[in-house]
Amino acid sequence: MPFPPPVRTLSGPRRRTLLASAAGAALMAGCSSGAGGSGKEKPGAGPSASAQERARARAASDSAGLLERYDAVLAVHPALTARLAPLRAEVARHVTAFGGTERGTTTSPSASASVSASASVSASASPGVPSAPAVAVPANAKDALADLAGAERALCDLRVAALVDLPGEPARLLASVAASGAAHAYLLNEGAR
């Protein structure tokens, strides 16, 4: 005698939905202010203002680097302009939200010195040959989208890890931009299929 098929209703939340909701709730709880939830930070509690400024400058620099990647992909694959223009515009807004500019960010002199040093190393590596662009872009559009998605995902992971060290408003801004980066990675992966 065969057994009847199990009766399973497909209504209600799935396990992945519940796990994602729990992770989101934990992230929001970690980003909320301490006692009282007023959003006002106590002086002396948490990182110093200079640490917050360094984190903001790093986020602006990271977003500017990502913006350069978008520009490099668009230069090599102009057919992707319609797909990438809205995402690039969002990344440009992230740069300005962190206090940077699209073409140059508010970085420390040591960071700019390391960038110029790496540029001079790459320029001296092949004398007589023009230096390659700062970002290598695959010739295949799908591979370029996949690389861009990987960059978005890696930056999102870095930003989520940096949330632990930031209080209140800077943490909320960084979390919001990290979430946007995760959405960009998803959209870029869907475009690469």
Side-chain angles (χ1 to χ4, degrees):
M1 173 171 170
F3 291 108
V7 178
R8 180 175 178 195
T9 60
L10 297 177
S11 63
R14 303 285 179 266
R15 184 180 348 186
R16 287 184 184 172
T17 305
L18 291 174
L19 289 174
S21 298
L27 181 64
M28 292 304 290
C31 292
S32 64
S33 61
S38 65
K40 301 200 189 282
E41 302 299 323
K42 297 177 188 173
S48 67
S50 64
Q52 290 179 30
E53 285 305 312
R54 283 193 307 269
R56 184 177 287 269
R58 170 153 181 169
S61 176
D62 290 344
S63 291
L66 186 60
L67 190 62
E68 289 175 11
R69 285 175 95 57
Y70 272 94
D71 290 341
V73 169
L74 287 171
V76 174
H77 301 287
L80 296 175
T81 301
R83 180 179 292 162
L84 295 181
L87 302 178
R88 186 205 177 277
E90 285 290 321
V91 172
R93 282 193 284 270
H94 297 163
V95 172
T96 57
F98 288 121
T101 59
E102 282 192 36
R103 291 295 171 205
T105 61
T106 56
T107 59
S108 65
S110 62
S112 61
S114 66
V115 169
S116 63
S118 65
S120 66
V121 168
S122 66
S124 65
S126 54
V129 177
S131 63
V135 178
V137 177
N140 183 353
K142 287 187 178 193
D143 292 339
L145 288 174
D147 283 353
L148 205 51
E152 284 272 14
R153 198 174 317 107
L155 187 54
C156 174
D157 292 343
L158 285 173
R159 288 178 170 159
V160 168
L163 285 174
V164 176
D165 300 329
L166 293 175
E169 190 60 33
R172 284 187 276 278
L173 176 61
L174 196 63
S176 174
V177 172
S180 176
H184 288 185
Y186 172 78
L187 292 172
L188 289 166
N189 278 333
E190 288 298 310
R193 289 185 185 184

